[in-house]
Amino acid sequence: SAVISQKPSRDICQRGTSLTIQCQVDSQVTMMFWYRQQPGQSLTLIATANQGSEATYESGFVIDKFPISRPNLTFSTLTVSNMSPEDSSIYLCSVEQYGWEKGQETQYFGPGTRLLVL
Amino acid sequence: DAKTTQPTSMDCAEGRAANLPCNHSTISGNEYVYWYRQIHSQGPQYIIHGLKNNETNEMASLIITEDRKSSTLILPHATLRDTAVYYCIVRVAGNQFYFGTGTSLTVIP
């Protein structure tokens, strides 16, 4: 399975500022995903990031608020822009790998970035 | 993708088998059953997945009923480190993974 790292692991930010979260994978992958997990809640998909194309955002998430870059097959960034306390969450990146033996994709997750906005 | 129903919480004694049920009565023929877990403050961890047949790996066993309307994840010898939220996900290839509220498993010493 892919090994995924995220930076920073946690941060405390002031409202109105922006934070860029990095996601690095140890192998080349086509599909990368960004999720948000608000306190006490389950995971919510923000967007899908494919290399060489614009990210696809889920309902309720917009590019101006969460711009995403995908410069190559092992790296992606998510920026949380103009932050407010409501953006305090864990942000997770994940990658999808195809299991030829079982004929299905599996997603693997990074450790997450814990963001607190004051 | 089909909706899943899981108990909100469960307890299990350390060393005993933990059996986590999942109901997916509206599952269709091409939907796979996946299990993930999330230990507090960590990213979700893939456990196992299957389509029709029972599956086993180094972490757990997945038992899927013959009509595929429900499944059970079995941790054969639960340890304290298995305390986590366990998510049962039903998914068609190409669709997103929808994480519901899961089952909070507490392994008791």
Side-chain angles (χ1 to χ4, degrees), chain B residues 5-72:
Chain B
T5 304
Q6 299 178 252
T8 303
S9 63
M10 293 180 62
D11 292 338
C12 176
E14 187 178 19
R16 304 296 294 270
N19 297 281
L20 292 95
C22 180
N23 182 284
H24 31 78
S25 57
T26 60
I27 193 171
S28 61
N30 59 346
E31 289 183 304
Y32 281 71
V33 180
Y34 287 77
W35 284 84
Y36 282 78
R37 73 180 181 183
Q38 188 174 25
I39 296 170
H40 181 63
S41 296
Q42 299 182 22
Q45 177 187 24
Y46 165 77
I47 300 173
I48 199 167
H49 73 280
L51 181 63
K52 296 180 182 178
N53 300 322
N54 297 337
E55 302 285 346
T56 295
N57 62 22
E58 64 279 4
M59 289 183 66
S61 294
L62 173 60
I63 308 298
I64 303 174
T65 58
E66 191 169 343
D67 63 8
R68 302 187 69 238
K69 293 184 177 182
S70 65
S71 61
T72 301

Side-chain angles (χ1 to χ4, degrees), chain A residues 2-74:
Chain A
V3 176
I4 304 164
S5 60
Q6 287 185 233
K7 290 183 181 179
S9 58
R10 61 180 65 239
D11 208 341
I12 300 173
C13 300
Q14 297 297 319
R15 68 171 67 210
T17 63
S18 298
L19 176 72
T20 295
I21 302 168
Q22 300 178 6
C23 179
Q24 180 76 52
V25 190
D26 69 340
S27 58
Q28 294 184 338
V29 294
T30 301
M31 299 187 74
M32 296 181 74
F33 305 86
W34 287 98
Y35 288 81
R36 180 176 74 180
Q37 187 171 27
Q38 295 178 301
Q41 304 295 312
S42 188
L43 282 74
T44 301
L45 180 64
I46 297 172
T48 301
N50 293 336
Q51 196 270 336
S53 62
E54 293 288 327
T56 303
Y57 289 83
E58 297 299 308
S59 176
F61 298 96
V62 295
I63 188 171
D64 290 346
K65 176 67 175 177
F66 298 101
I68 289 171
S69 77
R70 184 78 202 276
N72 57 51
L73 291 174
T74 64

